[in-house]
């Protein structure tokens, strides 16, 4: 059963709560997987410039024959293009690769602006300062350059001259031009959201953060939702690490067996019933289909899953931003 549930964003637009994460879907096989997802009933596709697959997503949309207005397409501004003067150009390039006139949601992929570095770079001395309400400032930890596994680009150092507030103001301008029907952020902590809200003319519609039962981020979900910002969960299935992974957790297995469902369906249901948007990634057609079939958890099931929290993220962003750097530390 697919419930086709949607959430109304503060921009007035609606977003399907189950989308297809596409970050690993590339080439002809990736196109076919995305086409299959659309045929199954997915109406929300999540991509990014950093994933290097906007061309494939656009081709899949064209091959599917679906009407543009029936789809919700998200893409993201890469951290290499935070300068306000290049934000619109970056979105225009994404639209060109997608073959679309607009995206439904344009996210700032990270609050950090990186300077693209040659392959020879191995370390940097960048700092970022956030001015606090009392007039003081906090030096964030030193940033070490590191290769991003998606793009192969060297991430770092941080460009301390570019404030995400200025990047956001540039994003508001592309929203005003209709190139993005909604705008939002990703990997923003509560403090950074709070700071952004004080300066923004347009409130972010979405904050996309890592969420799953081993990393439930309860306070972050509540803070965003209390401020009228919808939350999208990336990595909603946790890490795929065999028998010790979330997908094979005995609690999840027990609930799935009771419901006659798959373990992944249970994980997706938990995310949906938190009133969050989930974007599980799958490449095989069988799993794409299965993931879209929704089940309903009772309150006892939800509480059992809530009890699995380990504060254990899949994506350790400190690998990119330095040993003590985390988007979840204010």
């Amino acid at each position: 059963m697919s419930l086709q549930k949607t959430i109304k964003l503060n921009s007035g637009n609606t977003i399907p709560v189950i989308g297809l994460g596409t970050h690993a879907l590339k080439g002809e096989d990736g196109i076919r997987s995305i086409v299959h997802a659309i045929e199954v009933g997915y109406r929300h596709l999540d991509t990014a410039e950093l994933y290097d697959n906007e061309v494939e997503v656009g081709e899949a949309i064209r091959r599917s024959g679906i009407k543009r207005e029936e789809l919700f397409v998200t893409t993201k501004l890469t951290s290499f293009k935070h300068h306000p003067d290049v934000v619109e150009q970056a979105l225009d390039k994404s639209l060109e690769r997608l073959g679309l006139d607009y995206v439904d949601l344009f996210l700032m992929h990270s609050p950090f602006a990186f300077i693209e570095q040659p392959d020879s770079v191995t370390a940097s001395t960048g700092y970022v300062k956030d001015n606090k309400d009392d007039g003081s400032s906090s030096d964030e930890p030193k940033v070490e350059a590191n290769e991003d596994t998606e793009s192969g680009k060297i991430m770092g150092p941080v460009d301390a001259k570019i404030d995400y507030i200025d990047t956001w103001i540039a994003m508001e301008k592309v929203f005003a031009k209709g190139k993005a029907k909604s705008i939002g952020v990703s990997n923003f902590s509560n403090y950074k959201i709070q700071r952004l809200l004080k300066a923004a003319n347009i409130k972010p519609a979405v904050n996309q953060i890592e969420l799953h039962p081993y990393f439930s981020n309860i306070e972050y979900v509540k803070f965003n939702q209390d401020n009228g910002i919808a939350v999208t969960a990336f990595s909603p299935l946790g890490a795929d690490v065999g028998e010790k992974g979330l997908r094979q957790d005995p609690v999840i297995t027990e609930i799935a067996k009771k419901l006659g469902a798959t373990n992944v369906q249970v994980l997706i249901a938990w995310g949906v019933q938190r009133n969050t948007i989930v974007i599980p990634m799958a490449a095989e057609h069988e799993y794409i289909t299965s993931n879209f079939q929704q089940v309903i958890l009772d309150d006892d099931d939800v509480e059992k899953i809530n009890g699995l929290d380990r504060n254990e993220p899949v994506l350790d962003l400190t690998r990119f931003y330095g040993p003590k750097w985390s988007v979840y530390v204010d």
Side-chain angles (χ1 to χ4, degrees), residues 30-32 34-35 38 55-65:
I31 293 170
R32 290 173 180 166
I34 298 166
V35 170
I38 295 171
V55 170
E56 285 91 333
V57 172
E59 177 60 23
I61 292 170
R62 287 185 290 277
R63 287 191 196 178
S64 74

Side-chain angles (χ1 to χ4, degrees), residues 34-107:
I34 298 166
V35 170
H36 178 73
I38 295 171
E39 291 173 347
V40 167
Y42 287 79
R43 293 296 180 262
H44 175 188
L45 305 175
D46 182 275
T47 184
E49 178 179 350
L50 192 63
Y51 303 161
D52 195 26
N53 70 350
E54 289 171 317
V55 170
E56 285 91 333
V57 172
E59 177 60 23
I61 292 170
R62 287 185 290 277
R63 287 191 196 178
S64 74
I66 194 170
K67 294 179 180 178
R68 172 65 185 93
E69 59 269 21
E70 294 181 17
L71 279 180
F72 191 103
V73 179
T74 298
T75 196
K76 307 177 190 76
L77 177 72
T78 178
S79 294
F80 301 109
K81 297 178 181 177
H82 272 216
H83 193 288
D85 291 346
V86 302
V87 168
E88 183 172 6
Q89 180 186 7
L91 178 55
D92 287 343
K93 289 293 185 182
S94 286
L95 293 174
E96 182 180 327
R97 288 187 290 267
L98 287 163
L100 302 177
D101 296 325
Y102 67 91
V103 290
D104 298 276
L105 180 60
F106 186 42
L107 299 178

